Amino acid sequence: MTDTTHDTATERTDLLEALAHQRHFLRFTTRDLTDEQAGQRTTASELCLGGLIKHVTSVERNWASFILNGPSPSDDFSNMTEADFARRADEFRMLPGDTLAGVLAAYEEAARRTDEIVTSLPDLNADHPLPEAPWNKPGARWSARRVLLHIVAETAQHAGHADIIRESLDGAKSMG
């Protein structure tokens, strides 16, 4: 007979370790930078290192809330206003008053909260319907497990973006 309690604990540990690894690489790209450097665009993209971390922080917060509560009305992109889209765009840049230390602290808090939710969930199979959005299949549902895999993938993707931005900024590399 299989010990599913052990399997679930191992799965959670593995998923959280994979996420911690990607978070480390993302944060590592900002080592020894000033606030100004963290907000600097260094490629054709509008992305900057501080903005990427702000975005991943928002992603973690929103998906952690989804795990607990399902989609919120603000997740429905068909109801977003121009002001909503402008606020969303601000996630990708350092704004006046933003500091790298503050951005990293907010990210650490979001990460702590995500980890706390994942470790305390009774069942990683618990699911909710995805919000309506052009990129979501109508009627699709995601389990807590699927959401966590998405957070890992999103963090890894943006850690790669951050590595390119950092190398373009001053030649420093995070991965290799």
Side-chain angles (χ1 to χ4, degrees), residues 13 16 27-28 34-35 40 43 47 58 62 68 73 89 104 107 113 119 121 143 151 155-156 158 161 164-165 169:
T13 299
L16 290 174
R27 286 189 308 265
F28 188 66
T34 65
D35 294 339
Q40 187 175 340
T43 66
L47 299 174
S58 177
N62 291 338
L68 293 175
L104 289 169
Y107 184 43
R113 179 71 178 130
T119 57
L121 278 176
S143 67
I151 295 170
T155 304
H158 289 311
H161 294 147
I164 292 167
I165 293 168
L169 178 68

Side-chain angles (χ1 to χ4, degrees), residues 25-30 42 47-50 52-53 155-169 172-175:
F25 277 120
L26 180 58
R27 286 189 308 265
F28 188 66
T29 60
T30 66
T42 62
L47 299 174
C48 66
L49 293 170
L52 275 175
I53 292 173
T155 304
Q157 179 180 16
H158 289 311
H161 294 147
D163 194 39
I164 292 167
I165 293 168
R166 178 63 191 258
E167 187 174 0
S168 297
L169 178 68
K173 297 180 183 180
S174 299
M175 300 179 222

